[in-house]
Amino acid sequence: RTNFPIKLDTENLAILVAAFMSDGNNQQNHPHYANLGYLGNKIIKAASKAIPNIPYEIRNGKVRFHSLMSNVLFKVGVPKGDKTIINPKTPTEILHNSKLKQLYLTQVFDDEGHAPTRASRKIVLGRSVAVKNISKKFRSSLVYKKKSYFNSLPNAIKKIVNSQLPNLLLAEFALINEFGIQCALRCRGVTKYLDRVSADWVIEVYGKKNINKFNQRIGFSDPIKVKISSDYVGKIKLG
């Protein structure tokens, strides 16, 4: 009972794309978002505006939507399946102005980012990607679910890992730079799972003045992260 046509370049759809590229899963029959509370309500609101009257339910700690959501998201570039293995690109075609880019990044950092603390001293955004062409010998040397840090890897493995960056994070790195915010992109290490070896990559936004730029120009929307990040920079103002 939704209203057609569904516009594919709206602010609410930019939020949904970010959510399903992060803590969401675009399953064919029951696309779901894995957060409740503030973020869950935010996604329900965005979905209801982007696709009026779309049915949803809350089950097993997830917000599950009608399959129409899956088809709309797929149409704009959100893949169906495991994003770590697929390694999709950010659907930048729908992010054609600064406001849409900002909304996308805010949602991504809400889902996958960590606000700065005295211990970390930086904002961190992490994503993982399955690494291909890993030798059986190296794979057998890894301990299941235990991270092997990048600096400890053999040079040949470092070269393989560095040649297979997560496409999402690479595009998000470029988007953050468009807002005049300095950040670094690096691999933290690799982890072995039953079906793959994953490389864990992060974007790091560092320095109080730079973090303050992030708060002003992109920002979190999750109230908890907003407070943590604001408290960290204190009263420092942009130059």
Side-chain angles (χ1 to χ4, degrees):
R1 297 181 179 180
T2 192
N3 298 322
F4 289 93
I6 297 172
K7 295 182 179 180
L8 300 180
D9 61 350
T10 64
E11 293 183 359
N12 289 299
L13 198 59
I15 292 171
L16 292 175
V17 167
F20 278 84
M21 283 296 198
S22 302
D23 282 344
N25 189 314
N26 191 15
Q27 294 181 354
Q28 174 64 47
N29 295 324
H30 297 290
H32 65 262
Y33 179 67
N35 290 319
L36 300 178
Y38 171 83
L39 290 177
N41 290 332
K42 178 183 177 182
I43 298 311
I44 291 171
K45 182 178 179 181
S48 299
K49 289 184 176 181
I51 312 173
N53 301 317
I54 187 167
Y56 68 89
E57 66 175 359
I58 297 174
R59 179 157 50 95
N60 298 329
K62 298 178 176 65
V63 184
R64 297 179 180 271
F65 292 94
H66 186 276
S67 58
L68 175 61
M69 172 72 80
S70 176
N71 293 328
V72 171
L73 291 171
F74 185 73
K75 184 72 174 177
V76 294
V78 181
K80 299 175 183 179
D82 191 326
K83 296 184 289 292
T84 301
I85 294 175
I86 297 170
N87 193 19
K89 295 181 179 180
T90 299
T92 53
E93 293 81 3
I94 70 165
L95 305 178
H96 53 72
N97 62 49
S98 294
K99 183 60 178 179
L100 296 178
K101 292 174 183 178
Q102 180 260 315
L103 290 170
Y104 173 91
L105 288 172
T106 294
Q107 183 62 42
V108 166
F109 274 93
D110 278 346
D111 282 340
E112 303 287 358
H114 297 276
T117 63
R118 286 187 178 182
S120 69
R121 296 183 295 176
K122 54 197 170 187
I123 296 172
V124 179
L125 174 66
R127 292 195 182 276
S128 298
V129 61
V131 183
K132 301 175 183 178
N133 303 319
I134 292 289
S135 68
K136 291 183 179 179
K137 181 178 180 181
F138 177 72
R139 182 185 174 92
S140 65
S141 71
L142 299 174
V143 178
Y144 178 62
K145 287 191 175 182
K146 181 179 179 180
K147 187 189 299 293
S148 295
Y149 289 95
F150 184 80
N151 289 340
S152 68
L153 300 178
N155 288 333
I157 300 299
K158 288 180 180 178
K159 186 175 180 180
I160 292 173
V161 171
N162 281 331
S163 70
Q164 301 178 52
L165 279 72
N167 290 322
L168 280 176
L169 203 63
L170 191 61
E172 288 153 1
F173 178 77
L175 287 175
I176 295 167
N177 280 313
E178 286 187 27
F179 286 87
I181 298 166
Q182 295 179 347
C183 55
L185 177 66
R186 69 182 183 89
C187 179
R188 281 184 166 175
V190 300
T191 307
K192 180 171 74 172
Y193 299 97
L194 290 176
D195 59 343
R196 64 185 181 273
V197 173
S198 288
D200 306 317
W201 288 81
V202 292
I203 288 172
E204 297 174 334
V205 179
Y206 48 86
K208 283 191 175 183
K209 290 185 178 180
N210 203 39
I211 289 171
N212 198 45
K213 285 184 182 180
F214 173 91
N215 291 345
Q216 296 294 326
R217 301 176 186 182
I218 298 174
F220 297 100
S221 73
D222 182 335
I224 295 175
K225 292 182 179 180
V226 169
K227 186 177 188 309
I228 292 173
S229 195
S230 297
D231 287 349
Y232 179 78
V233 296
K235 297 182 180 180
I236 291 179
K237 298 180 181 180
L238 289 174

